[in-house]
Amino acid sequence: MTKSNNSFFKTVIALTLPMALQNLINVGVVSTDIIMLGKLNEVVLSAASLASQIQFVLTLLMFGIGSGATVLTAQYWGKKDVKSIEKIMGIAVKLSFSLSFIFFILGFFFPNFAMKIFTNDNMVIKEGVTYLRIVSISYLLSSISVVYLVLMRSVEKVVVSTIIYALSLVINFIINYVLIFGNFGFPMMGIAGAAIGTLAARLFELSATLYYNFKNKDFVMLKLKYILNEDRFLKRDFLKYSVPTILNELFWSAGMAASAAILGRLGTSIVAANSITSVVRQLSMVVVFGLANTTAILVGREIGSHNYKTAETYAKKLLLFSFIFSLIGVILIYFISPFIIKNYAMTDEIREYLNFSLKILMYYILCQGITASLIVGIFRAGGDTKYALYLDAFSLWAWSIILSAIAAFYFKAPVKFVYFLIMSDEIVKLPFGLRRFKSKKWLNNVTRNL
């Protein structure tokens, strides 16, 4: 192994491991609610799962804002232009907070309407309303911390977010354990206890983020003056490259919510099975998603430094790594599926659906590992955000969502067939993504000389 290759692999490991651990921690937060609420009953599990779709959409939108900004900040980091990075960060945080306020209004003041989007089960709606009224407050808190921590990745500061999210998980777990079941003399609050645990965790994340920001004044810093007074040239660039990324996350997250809404009308058993499968999917993909973000950082940095050949070489290597780790994820699912079905399926019907959905998951994550590296990593690093948007939107909405909805509500197709259609979007987008990569049209320098 040459010295340059050795340095490359060390950098990949140094960036990917903390982000993989962070992804694992984020899955742990979701798993905590599902596992603990699942011990109460199927209704509260389904209610929390469906109500969380709103938070899921918002989180992905905030991630989209951060990722869109990363298109610029990673390349400016290659130029060592800290001032431009701080200005872009201010624009991103302002937009994220504004967007989260809209979601807060929906969740806090109109929770009944929000729950009816996903289900017509009155018992599930009632429990979901309780959850939403509390959790919606956390939307405002996350709007700052999520975007800030995503942008810290683009300047190769990845450990801080891992530490913050790890401590947040501990706080969430303890409060859930105490309040969901009423341990240590506290009242048994059920789904409301899970919501309070989430809110407390988000409050800690924001506090820790602000502390880190003000402690490190000599590095890249979130500054109030750049939030209030935006650079019009950088804002124009931000909108050009970030809006497609934000729309990408919007279409994708709304597609996931639409899928949940379709399943929510097919019964609580498939919703419960899908909730468990979703956690398994996220667990099996923690390294792959970490690699996708590493790809965006390293490839973007090299493009910003005008090292285009190196950027292309890095992209090819990281794409191969993503495929390998996706394959490892498939193997792990194959071996742990019997254990999952035995321990987390609450009824025979859920057991049947869970067995089927886990089998579908094996091909799904193999395809998703490659497309995530292309869309989240390579295309965004090179400013090719419009194509990434078109690819995701077409495969999800023009194929997966519309076909599964027609199958479910017009043809009254079996639940398993509907689920297969919902999970078919990754197969559709894979050949188009690979063809775009080979064309090199994604390789663009998007920085300004300010």
Side-chain angles (χ1 to χ4, degrees):
M1 182 181 293
T2 65
K3 185 176 181 181
S4 60
N5 278 335
N6 189 42
S7 176
F8 170 71
F9 287 125
K10 285 182 178 179
T11 303
V12 170
I13 293 170
L15 291 174
T16 302
L17 282 183
M19 287 191 284
L21 180 58
Q22 182 183 324
N23 292 336
L24 182 62
I25 291 166
N26 290 338
V27 176
V29 173
V30 177
S31 304
T32 297
D33 286 353
I34 289 176
I35 293 171
M36 291 188 180
L37 290 174
K39 292 183 180 297
L40 294 180
N41 57 66
E42 186 178 333
V43 172
V44 293
L45 172 59
S46 296
S49 176
L50 293 175
S52 294
Q53 292 300 314
I54 297 173
Q55 183 176 346
F56 174 73
V57 172
L58 176 59
T59 300
L60 283 181
L61 285 175
M62 292 188 291
F63 177 77
I65 293 170
S67 297
T70 296
V71 173
L72 295 167
T73 56
Q75 291 197 17
Y76 277 113
W77 182 241
K79 295 178 66 174
K80 299 302 178 184
D81 186 348
V82 173
K83 186 176 181 180
S84 292
I85 294 173
E86 292 179 338
K87 289 179 178 180
I88 294 165
M89 185 181 292
I91 296 169
V93 167
K94 184 177 181 179
L95 177 59
S96 178
F97 185 82
S98 301
L99 189 63
S100 69
F101 187 77
I102 297 172
F103 278 74
F104 163 71
I105 295 296
L106 173 64
F108 190 81
F109 294 102
F110 307 101
N112 196 65
F113 169 78
M115 285 303 300
K116 286 182 178 179
I117 297 173
F118 302 103
T119 183
N120 50 13
D121 187 314
N122 290 328
M123 292 181 65
V124 173
I125 291 172
K126 181 180 178 182
E127 295 289 350
V129 166
T130 300
Y131 185 84
L132 272 178
R133 285 196 189 278
I134 300 170
V135 165
S136 60
I137 301 171
S138 72
Y139 301 165
L140 300 173
L141 309 178
S142 296
S143 64
I144 300 172
S145 56
V146 168
V147 172
Y148 177 86
L149 294 174
V150 167
L151 289 177
M152 281 294 102
R153 295 176 179 178
S154 69
V155 295
E156 300 180 55
K157 292 291 183 180
V158 297
V159 176
V160 58
S161 58
T162 304
I163 295 173
I164 289 175
Y165 284 127
L167 294 173
S168 172
L169 172 61
V170 173
I171 292 170
N172 191 30
F173 178 85
I174 292 173
I175 295 178
N176 274 10
Y177 180 75
V178 170
L179 296 184
I180 290 176
F181 305 111
N183 290 310
F184 304 114
F186 285 84
M188 181 177 178
M189 301 181 69
I191 197 170
I196 293 172
T198 299
L199 176 59
R202 300 295 91 80
L203 179 60
F204 167 78
E205 289 166 9
L206 177 60
S207 301
T209 295
L210 294 177
Y211 172 77
Y212 177 84
N213 181 64
F214 289 113
K215 184 180 178 182
N216 294 273
K217 293 182 179 180
D218 296 330
F219 192 63
V220 176
M221 186 179 179
L222 176 63
K223 296 178 179 177
L224 183 61
K225 65 178 181 180
Y226 292 142
I227 297 176
L228 300 177
N229 300 295
E230 301 169 333
D231 184 301
R232 64 188 182 93
F233 294 109
L234 284 175
K235 185 176 182 180
R236 187 182 304 164
D237 290 342
F238 175 85
L239 293 175
K240 180 179 179 180
Y241 296 106
S242 296
V243 168
T245 302
I246 296 167
L247 290 176
N248 192 342
E249 297 296 342
L250 174 61
F251 281 125
W252 194 81
S253 57
M256 294 299 101
S259 300
I262 292 170
L263 293 177
R265 282 162 173 76
L266 298 179
T268 54
S269 292
I270 186 62
V271 172
N274 186 56
S275 300
I276 298 167
T277 303
S278 295
V279 173
V280 175
R281 182 181 72 228
Q282 293 175 66
L283 283 171
S284 63
M285 295 290 284
V286 291
V287 176
V288 173
F289 287 138
L291 277 169
N293 289 311
T294 296
T295 302
I297 296 167
L298 295 183
V299 175
R301 184 189 68 186
E302 295 305 315
I303 294 173
S305 301
H306 301 283
N307 299 323
Y308 302 119
K309 189 66 177 178
T310 303
E312 187 181 353
T313 301
Y314 283 5
K316 289 178 180 178
K317 289 181 179 180
L318 289 161
L319 189 60
L320 177 61
F321 293 166
S322 295
F323 173 76
I324 292 171
F325 279 98
S326 297
L327 189 59
I328 292 172
V330 170
I331 295 170
L332 289 174
I333 291 173
Y334 177 81
F335 284 107
I336 67 173
S337 288
F339 172 81
I340 296 169
I341 295 168
K342 180 180 178 181
N343 287 275
Y344 296 104
M346 293 169 279
T347 66
D348 289 339
E349 188 175 35
I350 294 175
R351 186 174 295 108
E352 181 182 352
Y353 286 142
L354 185 56
N355 182 48
F356 177 78
S357 62
L358 288 171
K359 289 177 179 177
I360 293 292
L361 191 59
M362 292 182 194
Y363 81 77
Y364 183 87
I365 66 171
L366 197 59
C367 296
Q368 190 181 46
I370 300 171
T371 58
S373 182
L374 290 169
I375 294 173
V376 177
I378 296 169
F379 295 165
R380 290 182 182 176
D384 197 18
T385 54
K386 285 186 179 179
Y387 186 82
L389 166 62
Y390 300 150
L391 185 58
D392 257 345
F394 171 79
S395 61
L396 190 58
W397 283 96
W399 177 268
S400 176
I401 299 300
I402 192 168
L403 288 183
S404 59
I406 292 171
F409 305 126
Y410 184 76
F411 291 107
K412 307 297 181 183
V415 172
K416 290 181 180 179
F417 182 69
V418 174
Y419 188 83
F420 167 75
L421 290 176
I422 286 174
M423 301 288 283
S424 64
D425 60 301
E426 294 294 340
I427 298 175
V428 174
K429 75 175 71 167
L430 182 58
F432 294 99
L434 289 173
R435 187 173 67 177
R436 184 69 170 188
F437 174 69
K438 291 178 181 179
S439 74
K440 300 182 185 180
K441 292 180 180 179
W442 54 270
L443 196 56
N444 308 286
N445 192 311
V446 298
T447 60
R448 287 177 179 267
N449 293 316
L450 298 176

